[in-house]
Amino acid sequence: MEETKSREKFSSGLAVFFATLGSAVGLGNIWKFPYLTGQYGGGAFLLVYFCCILFVGLPIMLGEFYIGRKARKNAVGALKQLKPGTSWKNIGIMGVGAAYMIMFFYSCVAGWVYFYLFKAISGDFIGITMETAKAQFGSVIMGPISPIIWQFIVMAVVASILAMGVKQGIEKITKTLMPLLFVLIIICDIRALTLPGAAEGVTFLFHVDFNQLTAAAILTALGLAFFKLSLGMGTMITYGSYFTEDNNMFGTAVKVALSDTLVSMLAGLAIFPTVFSFGMEPGAGPGLLFMTIPLVFSQMPFGSFLLVAFFFLTAIAATTAMLSLVEVPVAYWSEERGMPRKKAAVVNAVIIAVIGVLATLSVDKASMLGNITFFGMGFFDFFDYISSNILLPLGGLFIALMMGYAIKREEVVMELSNNGKLKIAKLVSVYFFLIRYVTPLLLIVVFLNSIGILKF
Ligand code: PFF
């Protein structure tokens, strides 16, 4: 009890919103979402993605909030407390594992973003052309030393913020910088949408062609929904455990999912018009963002300044998302294993930076470790695939099953309604219908399909 009382909390509803949005908004919106939409054919992929958010993402997010706030513990401790002596705690353990896996490659891409910020400040992109943009990206990822140094810098920043704690660290940073990100993306959109040929990019993003909808596209959309909303790996359990007592968690979940999707769309609207305007390949893969954005800005007044601002804010988005990722093991180690919080932040940052080097050195086939493969994937792609497409949806499935079948409905109602203060009876009925039947069924079907048992 003592321990629960002295535990930190966010200080207000606004702080809850920005911290949670800070976790959701990250490289997923600005880097992953655009290139996956590009690779899987635009509008049809988007449509599936929206369905995944609505029918799978939102119910699971709310489930994680419930578990975290009810137990007021880290991902593993919360499950142990709500379901003592059962194996449900393994969801938390799997979550901690998934958080590490994601961080191994996420910290690498965040390192590129920091590096691009540094280059933008140094004026390296002045007079850039499509060819030089490609060449610059190639040399950044091939390194081999500089991307590793940047990855270490990223982890040092994350550890320092986490060491300051929940309020002074996570809350302060997210509340100050998230609103700025919106402003910057909108400025980018205005420029991108007024480029010659921009309409083609917008058409690409919104045009729905169901022939493009392969099974791989559906699984990827589902994985992306989990990744985007930071679900299936205990992040939202951990953050939920810091929520204020009077927070309307339904409202927070909907607001966060909507704002996050809006940021992804705004990022898509900045990137695709540029891609088409410059005759680039929309399915160019992970380098898409890094090759297009410097080009957009090189074409506009005050471009150099705005380019610095854009990469600064992308760095912020990546950093706030990483705070939530690393907070999962930090909270676990400090609460379950008794390690002081500051030490847990540093130890975890070191583990991630060291193993993350494997991802950084295997980004491309030609990279130093590019020829080491698992199931045909290098380390970088392997960490990404296993976490987004397997561990997160699997974690989500177990959360849905636990919420739907292993926890008493009255308890969920009490917690979600803040002990009866919020009138949410109808919402709760819809919630239980989704979490018991729709969400798990969709997850199971997509899974069976991905392992080839079910064909469609
Ligand atoms: N949601 C983040 C993004 O879209 O960039 C990434 C992420 C953060 C995934 C936290 C998972 C997580 F637990």
Side-chain angles (χ1 to χ4, degrees):
M1 267 298 137
E2 256 312 287
E3 186 201 343
T4 313
K5 265 193 195 145
S6 63
R7 218 168 168 270
E8 278 200 279
K9 253 190 236 162
F10 294 128
S11 52
S12 65
L14 202 65
V16 165
F17 172 68
F18 279 125
T20 313
L21 188 62
S23 167
V25 169
L27 294 172
N29 310 65
I30 302 167
W31 165 72
K32 212 174 191 204
F33 173 88
Y35 91 74
L36 285 179
T37 310
Q39 267 175 350
Y40 287 100
F45 177 79
L46 265 187
L47 205 66
V48 178
Y49 174 73
F50 290 149
C51 292
C52 293
I53 294 277
L54 196 66
F55 298 116
V56 181
L58 269 176
I60 291 175
M61 184 184 252
L62 206 53
E64 293 201 23
F65 286 172
Y66 164 82
I67 295 169
R69 197 179 68 173
K70 172 97 182 149
R72 296 248 179 244
K73 288 232 158 85
N74 63 89
V76 179
L79 291 156
K80 271 198 210 156
Q81 170 154 326
L82 295 189
K83 290 270 137 207
T86 64
S87 358
W88 289 108
K89 68 168 186 297
N90 292 323
I91 306 178
I93 295 172
M94 201 168 82
V96 176
Y100 282 120
M101 284 258 174
I102 294 179
M103 277 306 298
F104 296 151
F105 74 91
Y106 205 90
S107 57
C108 159
V109 182
W112 302 343
V113 173
Y114 278 40
F115 195 5
Y116 263 64
L117 171 60
F118 175 76
K119 280 164 134 337
I121 295 171
S122 327
D124 276 12
F125 298 113
I126 293 168
I128 196 171
T129 61
M130 202 170 85
E131 282 66 38
T132 49
K134 277 189 184 160
Q136 290 229 21
F137 180 65
S139 79
V140 164
I141 61 170
M142 294 309 284
I145 300 297
S146 48
I148 296 177
I149 294 177
W150 285 103
Q151 189 172 24
F152 276 68
I153 294 176
V154 163
M155 289 317 299
V157 171
V158 171
S160 323
I161 300 172
L162 284 180
M164 288 190 268
V166 174
K167 263 194 201 161
Q168 289 305 317
I170 300 174
E171 175 173 328
K172 255 201 181 147
I173 294 282
T174 50
K175 226 162 102 181
T176 323
L177 293 162
M178 287 312 291
L180 270 176
L181 181 79
F182 269 92
V183 176
L184 248 288
I185 292 196
I186 289 171
I187 296 177
C188 281
D189 282 337
I190 295 172
R191 172 66 272 205
L193 290 169
T194 47
L195 285 169
E200 223 184 309
V202 179
T203 312
F204 175 81
L205 188 59
F206 291 110
H207 176 251
V208 181
D209 173 6
F210 284 105
N211 292 329
Q212 301 257 16
L213 265 195
T214 55
I218 295 174
L219 181 66
T220 305
L222 184 72
L224 182 63
F226 273 94
F227 185 85
K228 276 302 325 109
L229 296 182
S230 313
L231 300 173
M233 44 150 298
T235 303
M236 291 305 178
I237 298 183
T238 311
Y239 269 24
S241 75
Y242 305 135
F243 279 14
T244 48
E245 240 98 82
D246 60 353
N247 189 262
N248 176 348
M249 295 195 285
F250 265 112
T252 301
V254 171
K255 275 191 281 183
V256 167
L258 278 181
S259 315
D260 177 68
T261 308
L262 181 68
V263 176
S264 298
M265 302 302 298
L266 291 175
L269 282 177
I271 289 173
F272 287 110
T274 319
V275 168
F276 281 88
S277 180
F278 286 91
M280 289 175 135
E281 182 44 57
L288 190 60
L289 164 78
F290 296 94
M291 293 185 280
T292 52
I293 289 295
L295 274 176
V296 186
F297 282 109
S298 69
Q299 306 288 314
M300 75 196 280
F302 310 110
S304 311
F305 164 75
L306 284 165
L307 190 59
V308 170
F310 181 86
F311 276 109
F312 174 63
L313 286 155
T314 307
I316 297 300
T319 307
T320 55
M322 286 186 292
L323 293 180
S324 72
L325 274 161
V326 186
E327 180 63 19
V328 176
V330 167
Y332 167 71
W333 281 47
S334 59
E335 291 177 5
E336 299 299 304
R337 313 246 145 206
M339 186 183 271
R341 184 178 169 94
K342 284 199 170 80
K343 188 172 169 194
V346 175
V347 168
N348 277 293
V350 171
I351 295 177
I352 291 164
V354 169
I355 304 183
V357 167
L358 295 177
T360 306
L361 294 179
S362 64
V363 170
D364 195 86
K365 288 238 157 26
S367 304
M368 199 183 270
L369 305 179
N371 52 356
I372 304 177
T373 57
F374 310 87
F375 307 103
M377 290 173 270
F379 283 109
F380 184 101
D381 292 333
F382 181 73
F383 293 144
D384 186 3
Y385 186 88
I386 293 286
S387 52
S388 296
N389 292 16
I390 297 178
L391 293 178
L392 304 191
L394 205 60
L397 175 63
F398 288 130
I399 299 255
L401 294 175
M402 173 170 156
M403 289 301 292
Y405 299 97
I407 290 190
K408 287 205 190 80
R409 186 175 167 136
E410 306 82 72
E411 280 180 15
V412 178
V413 174
M414 280 311 267
E415 187 65 32
L416 294 184
S417 68
N418 298 345
N419 294 324
K421 288 194 201 79
L422 304 170
K423 300 286 162 255
I424 53 164
K426 283 212 181 86
L427 278 178
V428 168
S429 307
V430 176
Y431 181 68
F432 270 96
F433 176 71
L434 289 176
I435 203 86
R436 293 190 124 207
Y437 310 110
V438 181
T439 310
L441 198 74
L442 283 175
L443 280 168
I444 290 170
V445 168
V446 175
F447 254 133
L448 291 183
N449 174 259
S450 75
I451 51 177
I453 293 183
L454 201 74
K455 296 240 181 297
F456 53 79

